[in-house]
Amino acid sequence: MFILNPDPYYLPCYRIGPFRTEDLSRNNGFVNSDLFDDFLRERFGDKRLCYTYNGRQAIDIALSYYDLRRDDVITILTTTGNYYISSCVTSVIERYCRWSRELNEHTKVIFVNHEFGYPLTGISQLRELGLPIIEDCASSFFSFDQNRHIGEIGDFVIYSFPKMFPLQFGGLLVSNKYPLGQSSLIDTSKLKYLKNVLSNYIQQKEDLIAARIRNYIFLAECFRNMGFSERFELQQGVVPGVFMFKTEGHDVNLPELKKHFWAHGIQCSVFYGEDAFFIPAHQALDEQDMLYFRDVMLSFLNLRI
């Protein structure tokens, strides 16, 4: 059985990303390795790369290459077309100019967000507009689309390691066009640590991907049995960043559901603009963890009744 509504001092901690407390000691024990650098060379060839502390810093560097003025607009396009967009993105853009969810005469840069591991379809057609493109692949490190265009169209591509690996920091900026002044903005000791951890986990790449897909399918079945369907259809090439389910027709108070999941130690969010909600689905979860998520949802539904 699972203890629901526990004393808040004894809550579990499930994050959207796979980092757990025990990873502190595990990561610290990895031996020095450059295997991740080898992986990057094989994957990106002679493209310019820069390690950053996080995805936000990578976005900031990319934007600095454009002569943006306060009245200019960066148009944000997302996989779903929903207006939901993280403030991690918009807060950085606002340092430079305005942002919009639609193309207009003031658009100077197109910012493509491949949401939750799902590539935006038809991205290659955006090049016909003749505007610079930045691709946000923060949650899509291993995902690819049918034509393998994801990460290949933009002037810059953004990645965030903690969304895919059990890490507390780390991002990557890939330039398909411009030279980068530095290969890293991370201090030497932290960069060494980052590479050691990534080198260990990149050897488990196939297992990591398989575990995320397996967990997504397991959660989809659990929530389907409660009458909820997944928001995204799992497609070939997609490595999901979260499990998102639809709640339309179920009279679910999504803000209260968010409070309920957080009160049980589960990081989550409403997919604002839709009747949808997302929870973790990463590779560090086992079936008992996901059954706990199921029971937390069932307890909310029972409370509503």
Side-chain angles (χ1 to χ4, degrees):
M1 66 174 291
F2 301 111
I3 304 302
L4 301 179
N5 303 306
D7 187 305
Y9 290 103
Y10 296 102
L11 283 177
C13 183
Y14 292 100
R15 298 178 174 89
I16 292 296
F19 176 79
R20 299 174 296 178
T21 302
E22 55 263 39
D23 290 313
L24 279 172
S25 57
R26 183 180 295 111
N27 290 351
N28 196 52
F30 292 141
V31 298
N32 294 342
S33 175
D34 293 322
L35 282 177
F36 193 69
D37 279 340
D38 296 338
F39 168 81
L40 292 182
R41 279 191 291 270
E42 181 178 350
R43 175 169 174 174
F44 296 112
D46 58 358
K47 294 179 181 179
R48 294 100 169 177
L49 311 177
C50 180
Y51 285 98
T52 61
Y53 277 97
N54 50 48
R56 296 186 302 278
Q57 189 176 49
I59 295 171
D60 187 61
I61 298 170
L63 293 178
S64 71
Y65 276 77
Y66 305 105
D67 185 22
L68 294 167
R69 301 180 180 182
R70 298 305 305 174
D71 288 338
D72 290 337
V73 168
I74 292 179
T75 295
I76 303 172
L77 303 179
T78 64
T79 306
T80 61
N82 181 18
Y83 74 75
Y84 174 96
I85 188 71
S86 171
S87 61
C88 293
V89 172
T90 57
S91 62
V92 179
I93 293 175
E94 288 167 358
R95 298 174 196 166
Y96 291 87
C97 62
R98 300 176 295 158
W99 58 273
S100 172
R101 298 307 309 277
E102 296 181 355
L103 292 163
N104 59 55
E105 67 271 20
H106 300 291
T107 300
K108 302 299 181 183
V109 178
I110 299 174
F111 189 95
V112 174
N113 184 354
H114 299 288
E115 291 177 294
F116 307 110
Y118 293 82
L120 176 75
T121 58
I123 184 175
S124 60
Q125 299 170 6
L126 293 176
R127 286 194 294 195
E128 298 174 7
L129 299 175
L131 291 169
I133 298 172
I134 297 173
E135 292 185 70
D136 183 350
C137 295
S139 299
S140 306
F141 188 80
F142 287 122
S143 293
F144 60 87
D145 56 0
Q146 184 177 7
N147 298 310
R148 295 186 178 268
H149 284 160
I150 182 173
E152 299 293 327
I153 302 300
D155 295 348
F156 295 101
V157 190
I158 312 298
Y159 296 98
S160 177
F161 294 132
K163 288 181 168 57
M164 190 60 58
F165 302 98
L167 279 160
Q168 295 164 285
F169 76 105
L172 186 72
L173 177 65
V174 178
S175 174
N176 291 324
K177 181 176 180 180
Y178 296 99
L180 296 175
Q182 303 177 67
S183 61
S184 175
L185 297 180
I186 303 175
D187 68 62
T188 304
S189 60
K190 286 189 175 70
L191 180 61
K192 181 179 179 181
Y193 167 89
L194 181 66
K195 289 185 177 183
N196 290 344
V197 175
L198 290 170
S199 292
N200 175 81
Y201 288 110
I202 204 62
Q203 298 177 75
Q204 306 169 35
K205 169 189 170 185
E206 298 305 324
D207 291 338
L208 180 161
I209 292 172
R212 282 199 173 232
I213 294 172
R214 182 172 62 249
N215 288 350
Y216 184 97
I217 293 171
F218 185 85
L219 284 167
E221 182 64 21
C222 286
F223 279 77
R224 193 177 299 117
N225 290 338
M226 291 185 277
F228 300 98
S229 60
E230 59 265 42
R231 168 61 179 81
F232 293 99
E233 181 181 348
L234 195 60
Q235 301 169 354
Q236 184 177 5
V238 167
V239 181
V242 298
F243 173 70
M244 186 184 296
F245 58 95
K246 297 185 288 187
T247 63
E248 68 260 30
H250 290 274
D251 191 28
V252 174
N253 186 321
L254 290 175
E256 289 301 315
L257 180 61
K258 182 176 179 179
K259 291 180 184 178
H260 184 74
F261 267 82
W262 276 97
H264 286 84
I266 305 167
Q267 186 180 15
C268 60
S269 188
V270 179
F271 189 45
Y272 296 100
E274 297 185 18
D275 292 332
F277 194 83
F278 59 89
I279 59 177
H282 56 70
Q283 69 272 17
L285 301 172
D286 62 26
E287 286 193 4
Q288 293 304 314
D289 295 318
M290 293 181 286
L291 289 174
Y292 174 64
F293 297 171
R294 178 204 62 186
D295 284 8
V296 169
M297 185 67 187
L298 285 171
S299 72
F300 178 81
L301 298 174
N302 290 334
L303 284 172
R304 185 190 63 184
I305 296 171

